Amino acid sequence: MSAYTSLMAYQRETEALSEIAGRLGWDQETMMPRGASEQRSEEMAAIESVLHARRTDPRIGDWLASAKPSNAVKKAQLRHIRRSFERSQKVPAKLAVEIARATSVAQGIWAKAREANSFKDFAPTLEQIVSLKCEEGAALADGGNVYDALLDDYEPGATTADLEDMFDALRPRLVALRDQIKDADQPPVLQGNFDEAGQLKLSAKLAEVFGYDLTRGRIDKAVHPFSSGSGQDVRITTRTVADDPFNCFYSTIHEVGHATYEQQIDPAYLLTPVGAGASMGIHESQSRIYENQLGRSRAFTGWLHGQMIDTFGDFGIEDPNIFYRAVNAVQDGFIRTEADEVQYNLHILMRFDLERAMMSGGLAVGDLEVAWNDRFLADFGFAVDMPANGCLQDVHWSVGLFGYFPTYTLGNVYAGCLFEALQAAVPDLDAQLSQGNLTAATIWLRDNLQRHGGLYEPRDLIKQATGADPTEKPLLNYLEAKFLDIYNI
Amino acid sequence: MSAYTSLMAYQRETEALSEIAGRLGWDQETMMPRGASEQRSEEMAAIESVLHARRTDPRIGDWLASAKPSNAVKKAQLRHIRRSFERSQKVPAKLAVEIARATSVAQGIWAKAREANSFKDFAPTLEQIVSLKCEEGAALADGGNVYDALLDDYEPGATTADLEDMFDALRPRLVALRDQIKDADQPPVLQGNFDEAGQLKLSAKLAEVFGYDLTRGRIDKAVHPFSSGSGQDVRITTRTVADDPFNCFYSTIHEVGHATYEQQIDPAYLLTPVGAGASMGIHESQSRIYENQLGRSRAFTGWLHGQMIDTFGDFGIEDPNIFYRAVNAVQDGFIRTEADEVQYNLHILMRFDLERAMMSGGLAVGDLEVAWNDRFLADFGFAVDMPANGCLQDVHWSVGLFGYFPTYTLGNVYAGCLFEALQAAVPDLDAQLSQGNLTAATIWLRDNLQRHGGLYEPRDLIKQATGADPTEKPLLNYLEAKFLDIYNI
């Protein structure tokens, strides 16, 4: 057997075990009896320990040194394996264990602090995690930029400098748009109660029209919607809120974007590194284009409006144009995950700056709450009322996800680029969307992006799909055109 | 760290991984999307390969040699680990791989042959498996009895000679009882359709009254009911048949017997070898005593009758005595899993003889169908109509389970012994059962048997719980008293 073949056989088994670990996570959020958590921690630790040992096995280094990839796919496979292996070689085992232990404890501490609405209950833990992640970043950076080294885990090839340029270009136009909207007439708010069975039924129909393959997936309820798994078994969850069916519908469409991406990767890549999404940013671009550019379009909401009347009867909004405005309402809010398309990226820009300030030492962790609240007031024009709605709202930092937040905005930027190209490729897109027909859109995304999985680096993938390097301009143009129209500005 | 501590830390991780593999099996039967089977095979193979490597790790031999157990629990832990490790050392790796591969393929071939109703489609595969299992048995037996060596996997300490004596004592009295029943007046058969929601609701109530802890378990539907898992996460499945609600109710109670056994083991044994049922026979004794001696008693069916009227309204049987007779109807049937209490063991006795004949070479595998049909006619008094109802009905042989069948009857025998002791210990048992109150019965089983897990050898466990060595007499006495009464003989 060649070194490449041996390495890939080994890797395939690792990927299979990793799918099992992922499904265990799915089970925990959907099916696990509540009294099983202690045993489940041991089970998760056991499989993670097997995976860690496999990923750091010195034979990988030998195989990588001898493997002679004969084509682009094989080169891409090795690129992924090498990145992961080199990363594991750079981080001292003792530090990796310490980070695993600290973040596992920190999540519980964060949840309690959020419940108690008390940042000081979380601050010492966060301080420890920031310090550990700085140490890890320094080990990975090899003298280079520490934050870049962490970012690279989630978005290979992205740099702080590039992101700063992009985000600096986003901020003024987003703020200007948001300020114009604030002064305009506001659309009506959806009111009333929408029964759960109806929400779940229409949610399943939305999953289907967006191309989610239920023979290789399933939909369950969970507290936080997520997508999980790869290849032939990609599961999503959704949730229902009685007076806010949009929460259910757009959570579902968002997760279907993530899930169909995994489902539509070339089956030849099953259980290999290339057989998964290219990066967090690319993944988010798929969930976002499904949810926003397609799902919240005037054309598609026209169809959804009819579906809601069929499902729930008269619910108080008869005019599809008013329905479209209600779906896209821009409103004050503290919470990132509930933010509208215009303000969402302002949340990310703020987190990007704050997490870099903590890592560089420019912001003491103990001062985060004050810094957060000052920045929020400046960016959003109203004050945070309590830490649970402020710096304690996201789980990310507690589990060590530094360098992750910017990939959300990168996803939105990529979605903007892809949507521009999709509109050019499918001239009658709106006519199709107004019939609830996503076929041409999802096939275009499959053929130009999704099927490649991790074959290309993220920026190259976008360039190949759209014909141009990714920039923030298409997203801004799209947002301005859409929301100036909605708000009659 | 002492050798014992090191070994147990290692073993604990293995047990956790084994729980994960078990849960993957549960997922496959309940939740897995149907298009995921190819990927799932690779996942199962990957975790099985991890488990195999761990179970044969030479360090286990070193630890076992140096460990100095200081009490009975530690001795029992080592007894289990040593048994499993020595077994793995005796079977050549090549043979183990061959058996794994052959049985994995054979299950599919068996399913197709059963569907096609053609034994000759399965015969060559079965021949191969018999030959491999003989080879394995010989390797394990070290010159001793080959069948005993296989039996020992499922029922440590049991021997063919003991079973022959026991089964020889069972057969004549079971046949005599069955023949008397055949000549007696038959009870009415339950008729009508029983809606699924009602069946599942009452099934869940039955699980609850029999003490199944849903905070550490859950109930789902599956084609074949089963119980899965240990410790804090023990899940069961059930099924519904529109015109046969007893199928659902008694499947549930049976699986609850298996599941509560695992749930009630001393929590100090969590994720250790002693933290699981003592043997297949002991496990079956729990499912059987829950299902039959308790669940099909006159007292309990009186309560169940009222529950069924509450759930389904008038269903055509008003008299609880007639209901009791309907629940316990002894009827002609080809299928072991559907057999009544009287005839069930005749099915097992037949399989025990046939599988030993195939292994000893006394019966050529190609002649199994004829031998089966002849024996069935002789034992049951009517002819097998087709192989799917005959020698192709059970999955066991296709997956290499030789030496497993007798544990079903051992379970019934143990249940007979335990029930005799339980009746003596709880004099007002019937009064409690007639109220749907299983508390005293299940607590007695917990305290005298279940909590010990695998601490004792099976026969010692029964002796400790009942005060006597297990024999077939209590079972026979119970069956004769019950069924002579039911059939007014």
Side-chain angles (χ1 to χ4, degrees), chain A residues 173-446:
Chain A
R173 283 173 67 182
L174 289 176
V175 168
L177 177 59
R178 198 265 319 278
D179 290 348
Q180 282 179 285
I181 290 169
K182 274 206 170 179
D183 293 337
D185 277 348
Q186 299 306 309
V189 176
L190 188 70
Q191 286 183 320
N193 276 302
F194 297 80
D195 75 87
E196 178 167 77
Q199 290 195 38
L200 291 175
K201 199 176 153 203
L202 184 43
S203 159
K205 186 164 188 181
L206 288 166
E208 195 196 323
V209 301
F210 272 92
Y212 182 51
D213 179 358
L214 275 165
T215 70
R216 295 181 293 143
R218 55 179 290 131
I219 310 176
D220 295 278
K221 285 203 303 172
V223 178
H224 300 287
F226 63 91
S227 164
S228 143
S230 197
Q232 297 178 342
D233 197 343
V234 191
R235 306 180 182 187
I236 64 167
T237 63
T238 190
R239 66 176 159 203
T240 60
V241 180
D243 62 357
D244 184 9
F246 296 155
N247 193 313
C248 174
F249 301 151
Y250 287 100
S251 292
T252 298
I253 298 174
H254 181 97
E255 300 311 332
V256 162
H258 285 301
T260 53
Y261 180 14
E262 292 290 332
Q263 287 187 328
Q264 308 223 69
I265 294 172
D266 190 332
Y269 305 155
L270 185 74
L271 295 176
T272 72
V274 167
S279 72
M280 290 299 147
I282 299 290
H283 238 297
E284 193 70 6
S285 78
Q286 300 307 291
S287 58
R288 282 291 175 169
I289 195 172
Y290 277 54
E291 177 189 357
N292 290 331
Q293 278 85 353
L294 299 169
R296 287 195 169 93
S297 64
R298 181 185 291 277
F300 186 76
T301 58
W303 177 82
L304 179 61
H305 182 240
Q307 294 292 315
M308 279 190 63
I309 290 171
D310 290 352
T311 306
F312 303 109
D314 172 17
F315 59 90
I317 300 182
E318 280 173 48
D319 179 347
N321 287 312
I322 295 180
F323 181 77
Y324 171 54
R325 296 186 70 204
V327 166
N328 287 286
V330 174
Q331 286 174 307
D332 283 354
F334 299 114
I335 305 297
R336 173 185 60 83
T337 57
E338 296 169 2
D340 52 76
E341 281 185 81
V342 175
Q343 297 185 97
Y344 186 90
N345 295 304
L346 296 175
H347 283 272
I348 300 303
L349 270 43
M350 174 175 152
R351 284 156 180 73
F352 176 62
D353 291 342
L354 290 172
E355 70 181 13
R356 284 184 302 142
M358 283 191 284
M359 298 212 70
S360 69
L363 171 62
V365 171
D367 297 333
L368 173 66
E369 184 176 3
V370 172
W372 178 292
N373 292 350
D374 288 351
R375 172 71 183 265
F376 190 88
L377 183 62
D379 280 12
F380 291 85
F382 61 100
V384 170
D385 60 348
M386 56 184 187
N389 282 336
C391 64
L392 288 178
Q393 70 180 263
D394 290 308
V395 71
H396 299 59
W397 289 335
S398 78
V399 290
L401 291 175
F402 286 81
Y404 189 104
F405 277 121
T407 69
Y408 289 119
T409 286
L410 259 183
N412 287 325
V413 165
Y414 294 157
C417 302
L418 292 166
F419 188 58
E420 192 181 56
L422 170 63
Q423 285 180 304
V426 184
D428 66 336
L429 182 63
D430 276 349
Q432 297 189 27
L433 295 182
S434 68
Q435 304 296 313
N437 177 1
L438 276 295
T439 312
T442 52
I443 286 180
W444 186 89
L445 286 166
R446 181 193 69 193

Side-chain angles (χ1 to χ4, degrees), chain A residues 77-130:
Chain A
Q77 302 285 20
L78 294 185
R79 169 166 54 82
H80 286 282
I81 298 171
R82 183 170 287 117
R83 181 180 281 137
S84 154
F85 184 69
E86 286 178 352
R87 187 188 190 294
S88 74
Q89 298 300 103
K90 284 180 187 165
V91 179
K94 193 170 157 286
L95 177 60
V97 169
E98 228 177 318
I99 290 174
R101 192 178 299 141
T103 53
S104 136
V105 175
Q107 199 177 344
I109 295 173
W110 163 78
K112 277 191 189 143
R114 190 174 66 154
E115 222 178 284
N117 240 318
S118 165
F119 175 67
K120 75 171 172 21
D121 292 358
F122 179 51
T125 305
L126 181 57
E127 196 155 8
Q128 184 200 7
I129 289 176
V130 168

Side-chain angles (χ1 to χ4, degrees), chain B residues 147-409:
Chain B
Y147 188 82
D148 279 359
L150 296 177
L151 180 61
D152 199 65
D153 261 4
Y154 313 114
E155 199 65 22
T159 67
T160 309
D162 290 344
L163 291 176
E164 277 180 324
D165 289 347
M166 185 180 276
F167 292 180
D168 284 347
L170 278 171
R171 189 179 293 101
R173 283 174 66 180
L174 288 177
V175 169
L177 177 59
R178 198 264 321 278
D179 290 347
Q180 282 179 283
I181 290 169
K182 272 207 169 177
D183 293 336
D185 278 348
Q186 299 306 307
V189 175
L190 189 68
Q191 286 182 321
N193 276 302
F194 298 80
D195 74 86
E196 179 166 77
Q199 290 195 38
L200 292 175
K201 200 177 151 201
L202 185 43
S203 157
K205 187 165 188 179
L206 288 167
E208 195 195 323
V209 301
F210 273 91
Y212 183 51
D213 178 358
L214 275 164
T215 69
R216 294 180 295 143
R218 51 178 293 130
I219 310 175
D220 294 277
K221 284 205 302 171
V223 177
H224 300 288
F226 63 90
S227 165
S228 144
S230 197
Q232 297 179 341
D233 196 344
V234 191
R235 305 179 184 189
I236 65 167
T237 63
T238 191
R239 65 176 160 204
T240 61
V241 180
D243 62 358
D244 184 9
F246 295 155
N247 192 314
C248 174
F249 301 151
Y250 287 100
S251 293
T252 297
I253 298 175
H254 182 97
E255 301 311 333
V256 162
H258 284 301
T260 52
Y261 181 12
E262 293 289 334
Q263 286 186 331
Q264 308 223 70
I265 294 171
D266 189 332
Y269 305 156
L270 185 73
L271 295 176
T272 73
V274 167
S279 72
M280 290 299 149
I282 299 291
H283 238 297
E284 194 70 6
S285 77
Q286 299 308 290
S287 59
R288 283 291 175 170
I289 196 172
Y290 277 55
E291 177 189 356
N292 290 331
Q293 278 87 351
L294 299 170
R296 286 192 169 95
S297 63
R298 181 185 289 277
F300 186 76
T301 58
W303 179 82
L304 179 61
H305 181 241
Q307 293 293 315
M308 280 189 64
I309 290 171
D310 289 351
T311 306
F312 303 109
D314 173 18
F315 59 91
I317 300 182
E318 279 173 50
D319 179 347
N321 288 312
I322 296 180
F323 181 77
Y324 172 54
R325 296 187 70 204
V327 166
N328 286 287
V330 174
Q331 286 174 306
D332 283 354
F334 300 114
I335 304 297
R336 173 186 60 84
T337 56
E338 297 169 3
D340 51 76
E341 280 185 82
V342 176
Q343 297 184 97
Y344 186 91
N345 295 304
L346 296 176
H347 284 272
I348 299 303
L349 270 43
M350 172 175 154
R351 283 155 180 75
F352 176 62
D353 291 342
L354 290 171
E355 70 180 15
R356 282 183 304 142
M358 283 192 285
M359 298 213 70
S360 69
L363 169 64
V365 171
D367 297 332
L368 173 65
E369 185 176 4
V370 172
W372 179 291
N373 292 351
D374 288 350
R375 172 71 184 263
F376 190 89
L377 184 60
D379 280 10
F380 291 86
F382 60 100
V384 170
D385 60 349
M386 57 185 188
N389 283 335
C391 64
L392 288 178
Q393 71 181 263
D394 290 310
V395 70
H396 299 59
W397 290 333
S398 78
V399 290
L401 290 175
F402 286 81
Y404 188 104
F405 276 122
T407 67
Y408 289 120
T409 286

Side-chain angles (χ1 to χ4, degrees), chain A residues 466-479:
Chain A
T466 64
D469 279 319
T471 81
E472 70 289 346
K473 288 189 188 70
L475 174 67
L476 286 167
N477 295 342
Y478 152 79
L479 288 174

